[in-house]
Structures are given as C-alpha cells and as structure tokens.
Amino acid sequence: MRVFVTGATGFIGSAVVRELLDAGHQVTGLARSDASAAALTAAGAEVHRGDLTDPDTLAAGAAAADGVAHLAFIHDFSGTFDFAAACAADLRAIEAVGAALAGSDKPFVISSGTALLKPGSVATEEDTAPPESFGAVRARNEEAAVALADRGVRSAAVRFSPTVHGRGDKGFVSMLIDIAREKGFAAHVGDGANRWPAVHRSDAARLVRLALESAPAGTRLHAVGEEGVPFRDIAAVIGRHLDLPVRSVSPEEAASHFGWLAHVAPLDVPASNVLTRKWVGWEPTGPELLEDLEEGHYFSA
C-alpha cells in the first residue's frame, strides 16, 4: 500500500518509514523543511511538502494514500511548552485526515501514549485515561481517532511507552542522563519503585506497520515491550555509566532536580501488551531498556 506518514523524519517515524519500505510498501512522508525532504528522499520515500498545522495539506496527503500513519506531534521540551495548544493542533490534524478518509475503510494509525492511563496498576488496551487527569486532554484526540471507525475508517491508536529507546534517542532517558551530568548525581523519586513501560524503537516501528496492515477498526494497541521497568533501576545504570552517585529525592525536591520532567519521573504506569499481541501478532524482539543502556551508546559524548 502507499502510506502517508507524518513525523516521518523523527526518531520513531524514520524507523517506521524504513520498516514500511522493507516490507514492500510505498511511503510518502510529510516534510516542512528542505532537510526533512532530503532525508526522506535518501531513505527511498516520496515527499509531501507541508506542515502539521495546515489541515488542507494533511487532507491532501491522506486522500492520495492507501493508509496514514500520523506520528507527528508538536513537542517543545522547554519551560514554555504549551501542551494544550499542541494537543489542539494534533486534534485538528486527526480531524482533517479523518474527513479525507471517511467511508474508505482505509487504515489510519495515530500515536498516543500509555503514560496517559491511570497510574498504579497494569493498564490494558481497553483502559482509557481518567477524565480528570493531566493526560486527558491528549486522550481526547485518541478517542476522536478511534471513533472514526464509525465513519468507515479502519482507525487505531498506538500507545507508545514513555521510553521508546534505541540509538539516536533524544527522549526522556537521554534527558535523565543530561540532568544527572548537570546535577552531579542520578536520582529517583522516593524509593524509585515506580515503573515505566519501555519498547525498543525497532519493535515500535514494526507495530505501526502491523497496525496499518491488520489492526481491527477502533482498537488501541500498546507499544510495550516491557510491562514496567523500576525507575530506580534506570537511575542505577545511569549513575554507574557516568560514575556518579544515585540518590533519592523527595516529591518536593523533584522539581528542582528534574525540572519539567518532574511530572514524568515519578509516574507508576505499567502497561500490558497481551491484547496487542493477540490482535496483530506482534512480538517484541529488540533489546530491553536496561540492556540497551548497558551497551553504552546513550553515554557517548
């Protein structure tokens, strides 16, 4: 099939592009810059120039495709990041693509996250975000995408683990390493027993392909290779590789140590992949998070 991919040059998106091409699909990637366009061309994909904030551009890309993987999200990991505005832009993108695909039975896969779900217990694919939670604003986008199944779209949401890890990762784990270097110690909140699901980049990319190929309409899938890695174990590996001490910080101290990441560091959000494996035949095979960290590439200068 010809797949239109947003976020096609990002950490996950570029792996999805390669996964799709290797499986024999054709790929058209959204590019807003010359550098992104060149990267897509070099990878063997076609280029659709446009911007995530332009619904007409997204609708045109979707209409010309046999399926869509919407992996882009406006991330700005700074103190001025407006999460609500980013979610609003994402919802407009979902609505534009959904309108273009309505009645076609074509697949439409969007990205979401397991961290949006209720903490403290193992979340399944059938769980939804608590309406009063911080993540509920993005969870509404997931609901909008899944609801497109009632409009003749084979829609599915892939909920990525808080850490999608692998070479080139600039996400949460890399940020934790940078913070440890800056502060002079690796930290966890309290006893650090809180758990983060994790998935290797290659496994996440394969799940997106399988979702496009065969996910039942209206489903939520979990890109979860490990149900939950204790945060203190992540901190311990970081401390050992940087030759720094590992310390506990209190919830009150978390903001001064982690900055805005203090909202994420103490999350206890384990998640299951049982239904995902059943529905699309996905089996994670990549290295686990601590194994990946032990390889040392995260700590290269």
Side-chain angles (χ1 to χ4, degrees):
M1 74 177 82
R2 177 180 293 277
V3 183
F4 176 48
V5 181
T6 72
T9 57
F11 178 64
I12 298 174
S14 58
V16 169
V17 168
R18 175 49 49 202
E19 174 73 24
L20 290 168
L21 291 171
D22 287 348
H25 298 295
Q26 296 174 289
V27 176
T28 300
L30 180 69
R32 65 174 180 174
S33 69
D34 291 341
S36 293
L40 287 167
T41 300
E46 297 182 17
V47 175
H48 181 80
R49 295 301 292 256
D51 191 280
L52 187 62
T53 61
D54 183 353
D56 291 340
T57 296
L58 299 176
D66 301 313
V68 178
H70 173 47
L71 307 176
F73 188 80
I74 301 173
H75 290 105
D76 177 10
F77 296 126
S78 70
T80 60
F81 180 36
D82 189 336
F83 182 64
C87 290
D90 184 53
L91 180 58
R92 289 192 293 271
I94 290 169
E95 290 172 341
V97 172
L101 298 181
S104 69
D105 291 322
K106 292 178 180 179
F108 178 27
V109 175
I110 66 115
S111 62
S112 186
T114 62
L116 304 177
L117 303 175
K118 183 179 179 180
S121 59
V122 179
T124 77
E125 293 87 339
E126 294 178 331
D127 291 327
T128 56
E132 72 282 0
S133 69
F134 173 76
V137 63
R138 188 170 186 186
R140 286 196 288 272
N141 298 6
E142 177 185 294
E143 294 295 330
V146 169
L148 290 169
D150 295 330
R151 296 175 57 193
V153 180
R154 186 163 61 79
S155 57
V158 173
R159 292 169 171 167
F160 292 104
S161 297
T163 174
V164 179
H165 58 92
R167 292 183 180 273
D169 176 17
K170 301 298 182 184
F172 291 155
V173 172
S174 293
M175 294 177 196
L176 293 173
I177 292 169
D178 290 342
I179 291 169
R181 283 194 173 108
E182 177 189 349
K183 301 292 186 178
F185 65 97
H188 52 74
V189 180
D191 65 5
N194 60 294
R195 298 153 292 176
W196 276 16
V199 66
H200 192 264
R201 180 192 189 200
S202 61
D203 289 324
R206 189 167 68 259
L207 178 56
V208 173
R209 174 178 63 82
L210 291 171
L212 285 162
E213 292 173 346
S214 62
T219 52
R220 301 168 176 85
L221 305 173
H222 280 184
V224 171
E226 297 175 84
E227 184 176 282
V229 182
F231 194 92
R232 63 188 172 208
D233 292 353
I234 301 171
V237 176
I238 292 173
R240 184 167 64 256
H241 275 266
L242 296 180
D243 195 23
L244 294 174
V246 179
R247 301 177 187 170
S248 169
V249 298
S250 69
E252 294 74 25
E253 296 169 323
S256 63
H257 181 81
F258 292 108
W260 73 267
L261 205 56
H263 295 291
V264 182
L267 287 177
D268 183 41
V269 284
S272 168
N273 65 15
V274 172
L275 293 176
T276 298
R277 290 188 285 112
K278 175 183 176 181
W279 288 336
V280 297
W282 179 66
E283 291 294 339
T285 59
E288 295 185 343
L289 175 58
L290 298 184
E291 179 185 355
D292 203 8
L293 284 169
E294 293 287 12
E295 285 188 8
H297 59 86
Y298 270 93
F299 304 94
S300 300

